[in-house]
Amino acid sequence: MTIREILKMGDPRLLRMARPVNDFDTDALHLLVHELLKTMHAADGVGLAAPQIGVDLQVVVFGTGAPNPRYPDAPIVPPTVLLNPTVTPIGDEQEEDWEGCLSVPGLRAVVPRYTRIRYTGLDPYGDPINRTASGFHARVVQHEVDHLLGTLYPMRVRDFSRFGFTEALFGADV
Ligand code: NI
């Protein structure tokens, strides 16, 4: 099990529509999940999608068991491994908040996201996941699922006056 290189924006592998997982509870799938988790934790991320390590499959991991150094004020998000996800907004309310991405290092932007969502999918054993989420939890899920659609958060930015380098925006490279 190794920490994998995280692809950076500009790499065409980040722009693909990821393929659904068809084979569950396999050694290869469990290894992929372990590598995603290890890579995410090593980078202090709150989420990571398989395309970010060059794997063309609909697999995302996210969650924080404890306050995260990159998002110290963010609420806890349940540690989750999610395959073949769908996201459905609950209502049309959106909210804006700062967002970053391990594939876009050093930058942050204000990104609009749906405030409340339902998300579904499968775990690595093929068992269903069906949850509602709001706020930061909903934001993280929408960000990670976007990776499976070939969408990076800068593509969602509407106000480019609130898009910049973390040390210039906040005075520290967090
Ligand atoms: Ni990201």
Side-chain angles (χ1 to χ4, degrees), residues 89-101:
I90 300 173
D92 8 320
E93 185 188 330
Q94 297 195 0
E95 61 187 24
E96 296 186 320
D97 208 346
W98 291 97
E99 213 166 287
C101 179

Side-chain angles (χ1 to χ4, degrees), residues 14-16 143 145-153 155-156:
L14 291 170
L15 302 177
R16 295 186 293 202
H143 176 115
V145 172
D146 260 358
H147 276 295
L148 306 180
L149 306 171
T151 298
L152 301 170
Y153 82 79
M155 302 172 183
R156 301 273 188 204

Side-chain angles (χ1 to χ4, degrees), residues 16 29 54 67 74 82 84 86 95 108-109 117 139 152 156:
R16 295 186 293 202
L29 181 59
L82 183 65
N84 302 354
T86 67
E95 61 187 24
R108 294 287 174 95
I117 61 168
R139 174 170 299 275
L152 301 170
R156 301 273 188 204

Side-chain angles (χ1 to χ4, degrees), residues 33-56:
V33 168
H34 280 292
E35 290 189 338
L36 280 167
L37 289 168
K38 190 157 179 158
T39 303
M40 178 182 79
H41 291 138
D44 288 329
V46 297
L48 192 66
Q52 292 181 274
I53 60 168
V55 174
D56 183 27

Side-chain angles (χ1 to χ4, degrees), residues 46 63-69 71-72 74-77 79:
V46 297
T64 53
N68 181 281
Y71 298 89
I76 301 294
V77 176

